[in-house]
Amino acid sequence: MVDPRLALVGAGVGVLVGIAQLLGGQPPSSALVLAVIFGMVVIGFAVSFRLSVWVLHLVRAMERTRGVQSQLAVAEERLRFSRDLHDVMGRNLSAIAVKSQLAGELVRRGRRQAAEEVAEIGRLAEESLHEVREVVRGHRSTDLAAELAGARSVLRAAGIACTVRGEDAGPSLSGEAQTAFGWVAREAVTNVLRHSQASSCTITLGTADGRAELTVVNDGVAGKSDEGRAGTGLTGLEERLAGVGGSLATRLDRSCFVLTAALPENGAP
């Protein structure tokens, strides 16, 4: 739709051209045709100019949008890298620390199992190196069954009784859900090792009403003032789960810390 002001300017130019033609002795019909032509030409030029300006503003806005998108992509990649690095190295370094203490104790007692623990430390170090490379490449994923088995092994090595329930439900979950729960299990076990005085830990996996839940309960809250606070790891888990339609909840139940992750059973909606 033509701006009324442009139409008014075009009409004014047309009237002036028509008057000039009449004063020059042209017949009224010719003067009218020329007046209309000149009026339309003026309006056309004005509309073209405004359209060019609008296109220029649009191009500039698109350039700004591309810049913002690039900055967001960089920020998102940095967040992914820091989150993955924290999740990968936290559990592995905690496991190495626990097994180093165990190996040292076995050496002092002259037990042959010390060599096995030292070999396990070497394996964990190599695995950590491999996982860091995968994080850098952006292809890091987790295997739920492997994470549950690793949790059981590491916790028991630290002298913490570990019970895993509902492990058979894992294969029925979508790959997306298994990966997310793998991260949850890894971070939860890291927190048990680093931030609690637990003597037992129970990991329960179950499904109901189209939702899958992974619950981790440890009894090491007593005397820990920071147990219920959301740290970097838990914040990262919340972001991961939110990205696939899930949620994370934590609560204190007397001397127990309860972490519950919930996801759609068949992946993000």
Side-chain angles (χ1 to χ4, degrees):
M1 186 175 181
V2 179
D3 190 321
R5 289 174 296 181
L6 292 180
L8 184 60
V9 170
V13 171
V15 169
L16 291 177
V17 170
I19 293 173
Q21 292 296 316
L22 290 174
L23 292 177
Q26 294 291 334
S29 59
S30 298
L32 178 60
V33 170
L34 289 173
V36 171
I37 291 174
F38 272 89
M40 295 298 293
V41 168
V42 169
I43 293 174
F45 273 118
V47 170
S48 298
F49 176 77
R50 293 194 64 178
L51 182 61
S52 299
V53 172
W54 177 78
V55 170
L56 181 60
H57 282 303
L58 182 62
V59 170
R60 289 178 176 174
M62 290 177 66
E63 288 295 328
R64 289 194 296 269
T65 301
R66 283 199 207 84
V68 172
Q69 288 177 338
S70 299
Q71 293 174 357
L72 288 175
V74 170
E76 184 176 354
E77 179 61 15
R78 287 176 176 170
L79 178 62
R80 180 201 67 80
F81 182 81
S82 62
R83 184 177 59 201
D84 286 2
L85 190 62
H86 172 276
D87 292 347
V88 165
M89 297 307 296
R91 204 287 298 270
N92 285 358
L93 290 178
S94 297
I96 289 173
V98 168
K99 288 188 174 292
S100 296
Q101 294 172 358
L102 177 59
E105 184 64 28
L106 291 173
V107 168
R108 282 190 292 271
R109 295 181 181 182
R111 304 286 292 273
R112 288 182 298 178
Q113 290 90 336
E116 297 177 1
E117 293 301 328
V118 171
E120 180 67 11
I121 292 171
R123 186 194 66 79
L124 284 172
E126 291 179 358
E127 180 181 321
S128 299
L129 180 60
H130 171 72
E131 290 181 344
V132 168
R133 287 171 178 165
E134 290 299 310
V135 169
V136 172
R137 293 181 187 134
H139 299 303
R140 171 64 186 158
S141 62
T142 58
D143 179 77
L144 179 57
E147 291 298 334
L148 293 177
R152 188 186 292 109
S153 173
V154 171
L155 289 174
R156 289 177 179 173
I160 302 173
C162 179
T163 303
V164 179
R165 298 171 179 165
E167 199 169 356
D168 295 341
S172 65
L173 301 178
S174 67
E176 198 173 55
Q178 290 191 52
T179 297
F181 278 156
W183 285 114
V184 172
R186 175 180 285 256
E187 179 60 27
V189 169
T190 301
N191 287 341
V192 172
L193 292 172
R194 296 175 58 190
H195 304 303
S196 79
Q197 298 171 341
S199 60
S200 67
C201 178
T202 301
I203 303 174
T204 305
L205 178 64
T207 59
D209 300 325
R211 300 282 289 179
E213 285 190 354
L214 181 71
T215 303
V216 182
V217 182
N218 77 81
D219 63 353
V221 175
K224 302 296 289 184
S225 61
D226 62 343
E227 187 70 44
R229 299 179 187 173
T232 303
L234 294 183
T235 301
L237 285 183
E238 289 178 342
E239 293 170 352
R240 288 183 187 278
L241 292 170
V244 292
S247 61
L248 182 74
T250 59
R251 61 185 176 86
L252 299 179
D253 184 5
R254 297 183 182 179
S255 63
C256 292
F257 181 72
V258 183
L259 180 149
T260 303
L263 280 170
E265 187 175 351
N266 295 318

